[in-house]
Amino acid sequence: MLLGIFSGQNEGLLFGVFGAVIILFLLVDLGVFHKKHHKVSQKEALQQSLFWVLVSMVYGGLIYFFGEGPDASFEFFSAYVTEKALSVDNIFVILLILRYFSVNEEYYHGILFWGILGAIVFRAIFIFVGALLISKFHWILYIFGVFLVYSGIKIFNEDEDMDIEPEKNPLLRYAKKILPLTSDDRGGKFSVIENGKRFFTPLFLVIILIESTDLIFAVDSIPAAFAITQNEFVIYTSNIFAVMGLRAMFFLLANVLDKFYLLQKGLSIVLIFIGAKMLLEMSLIQQGLSYIFGTEHIEIPIFLSFGVIILVLIGSILLSLAFPKKPELVNQ
């Protein structure tokens, strides 16, 4: 169900390109560049980040040329940028988890690799279940819109400091009960066989925790994508391209997140905007506005939405750099 923006042939071609790119680079990444554990440098992280941004831009260009007009391409980039921005909070939580378990930095890449594989699968399930529900119960979009506005207001008013309490995670607690665990990471392995019995290391628990937190973040990002477009192909590809670049962005931003302290505020404004846009364009609300104000059909063009998203996020970053936190506030 691609809502008619692609022909059958173009749809198959874009799916094929998408699948080939993701599978190829996952295999190359694991089998060539990171065959051995090592600490990822800032230079390597920057190169990988730029690579995934470039690949995503090229793919957005393919959507432009093989779709019917620029709307699908703008939808792709809008959903991609929004997911990228939402990933910043995800990065911060992942960093807290890794530090909480005192994970050696050499093992970060392997953990994030398998975390991303899980995200690819779970995001697909979330998106296609969401699309199925919307096709059956269109009113769910109203819930998405209200939820996004609520989430944006909640994030805007939240304190920037974030604490994690892994011991309260029910999935982690259950895993500790049923899995035989080792006392150390066994040289970066997730499981080992000793005396004919399989044991799992603390690194396996870290993956479980990261996967479960990604599901929580998907609760924000998936409705946000549906607020931009109801085309599940555009939603999934933009989401996964953003997720594929998450690992490199983690290594690039892990030590400088505090500098972009206003990005959270910018993200909250984006969520409020796209939630309000979704609600504004719903037929029932359109009828109400028409009755009250005598207005015609209101629709915010996708290119304008994309411009607002970019402007708000870039503005929050520039303001963070122009008006940095005071040292005493950073250290609190």
Side-chain angles (χ1 to χ4, degrees):
M1 184 181 65
L2 297 180
L3 304 184
I5 65 165
F6 302 113
S7 68
Q9 183 179 2
N10 290 344
E11 170 190 329
L13 175 63
L14 288 169
F15 264 120
V17 172
F18 171 74
V21 169
I22 299 302
I23 293 172
L24 174 63
F25 286 105
L26 283 174
L27 292 174
V28 171
D29 185 37
L30 187 63
V32 178
F33 293 115
H34 297 281
K35 210 168 185 178
K36 296 181 179 179
H37 295 299
H38 75 279
K39 181 178 178 180
V40 177
S41 66
Q42 284 282 304
K43 180 181 178 181
E44 187 179 356
L46 177 60
Q47 291 172 342
Q48 291 180 11
S49 293
L50 292 175
F51 169 78
W52 279 112
V53 169
L54 178 61
V55 170
S56 302
M57 291 178 65
V58 170
Y59 193 78
L62 290 177
I63 291 178
Y64 176 84
F65 286 111
F66 291 101
E68 296 178 1
D71 281 0
S73 184
F74 274 111
E75 288 174 354
F76 173 86
F77 286 122
S78 297
Y80 173 77
V81 171
T82 301
E83 176 61 26
K84 273 283 193 186
L86 284 165
S87 295
V88 173
D89 271 352
N90 203 349
I91 288 173
F92 187 67
V93 172
I94 290 172
L95 183 62
L96 290 177
I97 292 171
L98 294 172
R99 288 178 176 174
Y100 180 91
F101 283 91
S102 301
V103 177
N104 190 314
E105 290 188 25
E106 292 182 355
Y107 307 147
Y108 281 11
H109 178 273
I111 291 171
L112 294 174
F113 177 90
W114 293 107
I116 285 171
L117 276 185
I120 290 173
V121 174
F122 289 124
R123 295 295 175 98
I125 295 172
F126 269 49
I127 290 167
F128 289 107
V129 168
L132 179 63
L133 290 174
I134 289 170
S135 68
K136 301 290 185 182
F137 312 103
H138 192 69
W139 50 265
I140 289 177
L141 289 173
Y142 288 100
I143 297 177
F144 281 2
V146 172
F147 174 76
L148 289 172
V149 173
Y150 168 78
S151 294
I153 295 172
K154 186 170 178 282
I155 291 173
F156 189 88
N157 294 320
E158 275 181 353
D159 191 347
E160 290 141 23
D161 294 330
M162 191 181 302
D163 296 319
I164 61 166
E165 298 176 310
E167 65 279 358
K168 293 184 179 180
N169 184 291
L171 188 60
L172 191 65
R173 288 163 62 183
Y174 181 70
K176 285 183 176 180
K177 287 182 180 179
I178 65 171
L179 297 178
L181 300 170
T182 64
S183 58
D184 56 39
D185 56 40
R186 295 295 196 274
K189 295 179 179 178
F190 301 120
S191 69
V192 292
I193 297 177
E194 296 178 352
N195 299 321
K197 183 178 179 181
R198 181 168 295 278
F199 289 84
F200 294 88
T201 71
L203 295 183
F204 186 76
L205 296 181
V206 172
I207 290 180
I208 291 176
L209 193 55
I210 288 175
E211 292 289 4
S212 63
T213 55
D214 181 71
L215 291 177
I216 295 172
F217 279 102
V219 173
D220 273 341
S221 64
I222 300 305
F226 274 107
I228 294 168
T229 175
Q230 279 83 66
N231 185 299
E232 63 267 31
F233 170 78
V234 172
I235 292 172
Y236 184 62
T237 52
S238 61
N239 217 270
I240 297 309
F241 273 118
V243 168
M244 289 296 292
L246 173 62
R247 185 178 61 244
M249 196 163 72
F250 169 85
F251 292 110
L252 189 64
L253 299 180
N255 296 320
V256 295
L257 281 177
D258 282 340
K259 292 184 178 179
F260 306 125
Y261 70 101
L262 290 177
L263 186 58
Q264 186 184 46
K265 305 297 184 186
L267 179 57
S268 68
I269 294 172
V270 168
L271 289 178
I272 294 170
F273 168 74
I274 60 178
K277 173 183 178 294
M278 170 181 267
L279 292 172
L280 183 64
E281 294 177 350
M282 299 296 289
S283 59
L284 187 61
I285 294 177
Q286 289 278 354
Q287 292 173 14
L289 291 174
S290 177
Y291 177 78
I292 296 171
F293 300 107
T295 58
E296 299 294 332
H297 179 76
I298 300 174
E299 184 174 356
I300 300 175
I302 186 61
F303 69 86
L304 180 59
S305 298
F306 178 69
V308 170
I309 292 169
I310 290 292
L311 183 64
V312 170
L313 294 176
I314 292 179
S316 63
I317 292 173
L318 293 178
L319 286 173
S320 297
L321 297 175
F323 304 98
K325 274 186 176 182
K326 295 180 180 179
E328 62 270 17
L329 295 179
V330 173
N331 294 326
Q332 282 181 356

